[in-house]
Amino acid sequence: MKELKTDLLIIGAGPGGMAAALYAKRSGLDFIIVEKNMAGGQIINTDLIENYPGFLDNPSGFELAQKLSEHCKKFEIDIMEYFSIDKIEEADHKDGGKTYKFKSTGSDSYIYSRALIIATGAKPDRLDVKGEAEFIGKGISFCATCDGALYRGKEVAVVGGGDTAVEEALFLSNLVDKVYLIHRRDELRACDMLQCRARDNGKIEFLWSSVVEEFVGDEKLESIIIKNKNDGSTRKIAVAAAFEYVGWEPNSDMIKHLVDTDQKGFIIADMTMKTSHEAIFAIGDVRNTPFRQVITAVADGAVAAMYVDKYFLEQG
Ligand SMILES: Cc1cc2nc3c(=O)[nH]c(=O)nc-3n(C[C@H](O)[C@H](O)[C@H](O)COP(=O)(O)OP(=O)(O)OC[C@H]3O[C@@H](n4cnc5c(N)ncnc54)[C@H](O)[C@@H]3O)c2cc1C
């Protein structure tokens, strides 16, 4: 096992982690940033980012992620990609006048650090209904940008009612013949602009107050049984694919034993991004934030890096 030591370990190089790294660099902090995949985070799989200020040409998520990576490179930040932290333990490791509080293990190395910024984001929730596990990858997908083109000219469903569900339904409407938007409420949660576009889109049919009861098919997904919550009636719709956008689950398993979380496992942090542990900060989608977007993740990253700097100054 390779042993590394640093003042600050940033875990995750999505928008939040990369912003934290940029601010940490500018503050002259000694830090390491690791990322279990390629740098970029969830936006890599997104078609269009229309709401990130200053980017008037509506970049794809992949392009915005690349811009953030390039910014890190320009600042000579070396993101350790394909490096997953699997275990974090409290430590009391003294060396060179410093006390390292954490030992984070992953990818044949362990990294001692004095502080942590957790920027590990979130992954899609599942519906947990009959047939779902069987058809994931065989018609059920969590990424329209990745898989939408496979269903060109067909009929598909999107499940959910928030910004992401509506954005992805609009994206799919450019490829497929019809999109059923299945939502458990009788109104969408998505912002007004997206709602208007979806309502004006002739290819999107709304199935209000409806939940998926079962995914049905032989080798691949062929149809969905939908239940209307108001009258209990069921209906079967034939679709080639279903895209689920029903919520998020935090990537916090490796740190949950050291910090307070909410019921779903999102890490509780204060306005300085500090958690219940004085040397652990949490940012972006993994935090119990009311809004999960690129702009909030990068803002969290900046705040956390500045307060980590302050924490080190107070520690002496
Ligand atoms: C389909 C879709 C469309 C979206 N559209 C928009 C949009 O238009 N506008 C907008 O503002 N936002 C959009 N979002 C939301 C946006 O992508 C997120 O809010 C944002 O990416 C959160 O950034 P983050 O850095 O907190 O987390 P993430 O982007 O999730 O990044 C976390 C990173 O941590 C890494 N990681 C996880 N666990 C470990 C580990 N154990 N060790 C090392 N690395 C780890 C992950 O691989 C990942 O790269 C969209 C999201 C999706 C899924």
Side-chain angles (χ1 to χ4, degrees):
M1 289 286 258
K2 201 156 79 179
E3 181 183 295
L4 301 166
K5 289 194 187 93
T6 184
D7 282 349
L8 169 65
L9 174 62
I10 302 171
I11 307 174
M18 286 195 277
L22 288 170
Y23 274 74
K25 188 74 181 189
R26 275 169 61 89
S27 297
L29 296 182
D30 166 45
F31 70 94
I32 289 175
I33 174 166
V34 296
E35 164 55 51
K36 79 170 176 190
N37 297 311
M38 68 181 281
Q42 291 169 58
I43 46 166
I44 286 184
N45 298 323
T46 295
D47 176 42
L48 271 189
I49 302 284
E50 287 185 307
N51 53 5
Y52 193 70
F55 284 77
L56 299 179
D57 52 347
N58 296 343
S60 69
F62 187 79
E63 282 163 347
L64 183 57
Q66 271 191 323
K67 291 259 179 234
L68 287 164
S69 297
E70 281 164 22
H71 205 155
C72 287
K73 279 198 192 97
K74 188 179 166 197
F75 276 36
E76 296 178 349
I77 296 165
D78 181 20
I79 298 171
M80 291 170 64
E81 291 179 308
Y82 303 101
F83 190 116
S84 172
I85 296 292
D86 304 320
K87 188 174 162 194
I88 302 174
E89 297 159 271
E90 281 202 277
D92 187 19
H93 182 75
K94 294 186 175 47
D95 189 25
K98 288 182 181 177
T99 301
Y100 294 92
K101 287 186 185 234
F102 306 103
K103 183 183 176 187
S104 305
T105 309
S107 306
D108 290 337
S109 304
Y110 46 84
I111 304 175
Y112 282 112
S113 66
R114 295 170 62 204
L116 296 170
I117 293 180
I118 310 298
T120 45
K123 54 181 173 288
D125 259 342
R126 295 189 179 179
L127 292 168
D128 281 334
V129 296
K130 201 169 167 201
E132 185 186 47
E134 199 179 332
F135 295 114
I136 287 177
K138 296 175 187 166
I140 297 179
S141 166
F142 303 89
C143 178
T145 319
C146 321
D147 299 332
L150 300 173
Y151 305 102
R152 212 175 274 277
K154 302 203 165 139
E155 300 200 349
V156 304
V158 166
V159 189
D163 279 355
T164 304
V166 177
E167 270 171 24
E168 301 303 283
L170 287 164
F171 168 73
L172 285 163
S173 71
N174 295 321
L175 301 169
V176 303
D177 271 5
K178 180 169 190 163
V179 183
Y180 293 99
L181 188 52
I182 303 165
H183 186 40
R184 64 194 164 116
R185 299 208 171 87
D186 58 4
E187 58 181 338
L188 297 170
R189 276 183 296 111
C191 69
D192 282 353
M193 195 167 88
L194 290 172
Q195 290 201 29
C196 285
R197 277 195 221 154
R199 285 178 208 276
D200 289 347
N201 187 307
K203 286 194 185 169
I204 299 179
E205 178 179 335
F206 295 92
L207 300 178
W208 301 112
S209 305
S210 298
V211 290
V212 174
E213 197 151 80
E214 187 179 342
F215 291 105
V216 184
D218 191 4
E219 297 279 295
K220 289 180 181 168
L221 180 70
E222 287 164 11
S223 57
I224 308 178
I225 299 174
I226 312 287
K227 183 175 177 181
N228 184 294
K229 283 173 64 187
N230 294 334
D231 59 16
S233 63
T234 56
R235 163 182 178 188
K236 196 177 198 179
I237 53 168
V239 288
F243 295 84
E244 295 184 12
Y245 300 102
V246 291
W248 301 99
E249 192 189 316
N251 296 317
S252 60
D253 282 354
M254 85 304 269
I255 193 74
K256 270 202 294 215
H257 56 297
L258 295 181
V259 293
D260 289 347
T261 66
D262 68 10
Q263 271 187 334
K264 279 205 84 181
F266 288 100
I267 302 171
I268 297 169
D270 65 17
M271 60 186 279
T272 72
M273 306 303 140
K274 193 169 68 141
T275 66
S276 53
H277 192 301
E278 60 164 9
I280 304 178
F281 295 72
I283 63 171
D285 281 16
V286 75
R287 180 168 85 83
N288 72 330
T289 170
F291 199 45
R292 295 194 167 81
Q293 289 279 282
V294 176
I295 193 163
T296 46
V298 297
D300 283 5
V303 171
M306 289 191 289
Y307 276 92
V308 169
D309 189 27
K310 201 165 177 288
Y311 166 73
F312 287 148
L313 288 172
E314 283 163 5
Q315 295 289 301

